Every structure is written in C-alpha cells, then in structure tokens.
Amino acid sequence: MKKLPKEAFIHDQRLIQRTKSFFMERLSQELSLLEVQAPILTYQGNGVQDDLNGTEKPVTVQSQTLDKPLEIVQSLAKWKRQLLARSDFDVGSGIITQMRAIRPDEEFLSERHSLYVEQWDWEKVIADDDRTLDYLKDTVEKIYKTMLETDHVVAKATLRDSLLPKTITFIHTEDLMKQYPDLTPKQREQEACKEYGAIFLIGIGGELSDGSIHDGRAPDYDDWTTGTDQGRYGLNGDILVWNPVLEDAFEISSMGIRVSPQVMQQQLQIRGCEHRLNYLWHQQLMAGHLPQTIGGGIGQSRLVMFLLQKEHIGQVQFSVWPEALEVAVL
C-alpha cells in the first residue's frame, strides 16, 4: 500500500470538496436547479431503470421486507422526470442530485473507469418549442461556462494555467465520421479534442450515413432521431475535453433533450424494444403525464480528476480495483 503524506492528503481532500461544491452551486444557478436527494434503489420491471447504451446489466438486490426484486440505479433520467411531474415544476426550472451507483459491466477498469459512479444528475422542464438544437446548444454553453469558472478556481488554488479553451466547439457525429472515415469513433473523438480542446459531440445513438453508430444510447432516454439540419439527426450529445495528462479525449458528460412520446415510440421500434411500452413509466409518458425535459449526467470524479490533473480516477475517489492494477491511491 502506497502512503501519502498527511498534509498532501488533507490538501487534496479539501480541494476535491471545494471543486465539487463550487461547480454544483454555480451549475444550479445557471440552470435554475434545486438540489434533491437521489435514490439508490428502484423496483425491477417498472421502467424507471436506465440501460444507458443498452448493454449494461444493473445490480439486483433482494430485500427481506419487500416481495419485489430491486435494482441499484444506473442513472436517474426517468426517475427525475417522474419527480418533476409529481412536484409540478414550472418550465425553466429543474432539479439536480448527487447520484451514487454501481456499474459492474464496465468492460475493463482503467485510469478513467471505475465500478463506482458518482455524478451530478440533473433535469429541467422545457416547453414543447424548446425541443431544438439551438436550445440544446444554449444549455451546453451554460454548463461549459460553469466548467470554465471551476477551472479558474482550481487553477488559482494550484498555481497552474487554465486547462480549458474559452469556448466549446459543436460537432455532429456525422461530420466527424466524414472527416475521419478510416478511424474508429474513439479515435475520431481523440482527433477532435486534440484540435479544439473541448467539444460537444451531437447525435449519439442514431445511425450515421455509413450505417454505423458512433456510440450507444438507450431508446427511451435521449432524442437521437429528430432531424435538425442538412440531414443531421439528434438532440443529444457528449461533452468531451482534451486531457493533457492522459493525452486523450476525456468524456465529462452525456446529456440531451429527452424523448417525447412520439420519439420514444419510434426509437423503441428501431431498437426492437416495443415491449417496454408495457412498463408503467413508459405508459405515463405516452399518456402525456410527464413533462418535456432536458437533462444529463456529469461525472464528479471525472471532472475533478481532469481539473486536478490526476493520472487515475482512484486518486479522487475510493473504489475497488484489481490487485494487479497499480493505483496511486489517495
């Protein structure tokens, strides 16, 4: 076990907490979000659980006092939308939570992948006519503004230069595919982040003109089929930055305008998942009982790891790792 001097440990912990608190406070102000407590469990089979890109399997839990099987949440996209409906939030307002989850289906544990997930999960009510690419971009720019402000705070505290460019660049997955047709999606992200420093990659989950998909996204989650302009589709995306320590593209957030009843039905059909329309949550959406929303998740440890220029996510969070993996533990 590696030892870290007490002074260095205390310094890092205080800086981690300061970074998280500042970012969450500023993001809540920018997007008009109210902090609420997040659940860790959901009932199995009610449709509230998210399957992210469609391959992850949630952790099941059996309670001695409840006769229904439970699952640890993987994200809170559907739960947040239910809460906004139940509490009758106004258009332009929303919620933010500090979600804790376990995702055991990570293909491998690395310097950026942990079984333990902690993220800011946020959701905001929008009007029907806000379901546009312009509204999505405006929201991304507000999030990026908060990232910039947090970067400046950490830069001042650690006597380093700012890491982030002044602006974020918007790129559609279709355009990135055409620019780098011979590269894999991850290699394309690397090239774009290296060039621009920070990008918002639009259109995650939908089929591109060459028949490929840049990356998976659940069909009842974000809108990846609505047409925008010039043959482009999708009202969702990922925020990625260039990580100078890892010398690689680094995902900070996935987000998007959520599915409308019509869009969800279409995307479920594309993925062959029409059976989900029998779930309670999906029936609520189809009946018009859930508001139109925009939302996403922002990785807490990811953002802190990036801003503090750490080499491994294990330096900013406590999790479990293979014995063979050398981790510079806190």
Side-chain angles (χ1 to χ4, degrees):
M1 179 179 65
K2 295 184 178 181
K3 288 191 175 182
L4 187 68
K6 180 175 70 174
E7 293 77 13
F9 176 79
I10 293 173
H11 175 269
D12 275 1
Q13 290 302 303
R14 286 176 173 168
L15 188 55
I16 289 169
Q17 184 58 39
R18 181 182 178 189
T19 303
K20 289 183 177 181
S21 297
F22 180 86
F23 180 83
M24 182 170 178
E25 181 179 350
R26 288 295 299 120
L27 186 66
S28 299
Q29 293 171 354
E30 281 291 331
L31 298 183
S32 300
L33 306 175
L34 171 71
E35 182 180 4
V36 301
Q37 297 303 305
I40 188 68
L41 294 170
T42 183
Y43 281 113
Q44 188 180 81
N46 64 0
V48 174
Q49 181 68 279
D50 287 308
D51 64 350
L52 306 173
N53 64 15
T55 61
E56 294 87 352
K57 295 179 181 178
V59 177
T60 58
V61 177
Q62 191 63 49
S63 168
Q64 293 186 14
T65 57
L66 298 172
D67 58 358
K68 296 181 180 179
L70 305 169
E71 295 176 345
I72 294 178
V73 298
Q74 296 197 118
S75 90
L76 297 172
K78 299 185 181 72
W79 176 85
K80 289 177 297 182
R81 206 164 171 179
Q82 270 188 332
L83 181 62
L84 291 172
R86 188 165 64 245
S87 302
D88 198 23
F89 273 67
D90 295 327
V91 170
S93 64
I95 57 174
I96 185 169
T97 76
Q98 299 200 51
M99 188 202 77
R100 302 291 184 265
I102 298 173
R103 295 180 183 169
D105 273 355
E106 289 287 355
E107 294 183 3
F108 59 94
L109 300 183
S110 68
E111 73 283 341
R112 72 189 78 185
H113 293 94
S114 172
L115 297 179
Y116 172 58
V117 178
E118 50 177 354
Q119 67 181 30
W120 292 287
D121 230 323
W122 64 275
E123 200 84 9
K124 182 177 180 178
V125 179
I126 62 175
D128 289 344
D129 56 8
D130 289 330
R131 296 182 55 82
T132 66
L133 188 58
D134 285 340
Y135 188 91
L136 175 66
K137 288 182 176 181
D138 180 68
T139 304
V140 171
E141 287 176 341
K142 290 179 180 179
I143 296 173
Y144 190 70
K145 176 186 176 184
T146 304
M147 290 173 59
L148 279 174
E149 292 173 350
T150 311
D151 183 24
H152 293 157
V153 168
V154 178
K156 183 176 181 180
T158 56
L159 304 178
R160 64 158 173 79
D161 295 331
S162 296
L163 294 174
L164 294 169
K166 293 182 180 180
T167 59
I168 188 168
T169 300
F170 294 91
I171 307 173
H172 196 281
T173 50
E174 178 73 20
D175 298 314
L176 201 60
M177 181 272 294
K178 290 184 175 179
Q179 185 176 359
Y180 301 107
D182 298 326
L183 299 183
T184 67
K186 293 304 178 186
Q187 290 171 334
R188 295 170 194 162
E189 292 176 358
Q190 185 180 44
E191 292 299 323
C193 286
K194 186 188 299 184
E195 180 177 356
Y196 298 108
I199 66 172
F200 184 73
L201 192 55
I202 305 168
I204 306 293
E207 185 175 298
L208 304 178
S209 61
D210 67 350
S212 68
I213 295 176
H214 183 87
D215 200 359
R217 204 76 131 219
D220 45 8
Y221 196 57
D222 296 338
D223 182 339
W224 38 260
T225 53
T226 292
T228 52
D229 54 11
Q230 299 179 340
R232 304 296 180 262
Y233 297 88
L235 295 174
N236 71 345
D238 292 340
I239 296 176
L240 301 106
V241 299
W242 177 252
N243 188 317
V245 176
L246 302 181
E247 296 186 330
D248 198 3
F250 196 68
E251 182 182 328
I252 299 294
S253 172
S254 65
M255 58 171 287
I257 292 175
R258 306 306 196 189
V259 291
S260 66
Q262 297 77 15
V263 168
M264 182 180 72
Q265 195 164 20
Q266 178 182 354
Q267 294 184 174
L268 287 173
Q269 184 176 12
I270 292 173
R271 291 287 182 265
C273 297
E274 295 96 327
H275 65 277
R276 296 188 190 180
L277 292 172
N278 296 317
Y279 294 155
L280 175 60
W281 187 91
H282 297 70
Q283 291 175 354
Q284 290 175 336
L285 179 62
M286 294 302 295
H289 298 323
L290 303 179
Q292 298 293 314
T293 62
I294 184 173
I298 302 170
Q300 292 188 19
S301 293
R302 284 281 186 97
L303 182 63
V304 172
M305 173 187 168
F306 169 74
L307 293 177
L308 271 60
Q309 295 187 284
K310 298 295 186 180
E311 297 177 350
H312 200 287
I313 199 168
Q315 295 174 282
V316 297
Q317 68 160 227
F318 291 106
S319 186
V320 291
W321 311 95
E323 292 183 5
L325 185 63
E326 288 293 329
V327 180
V329 184
L330 287 167

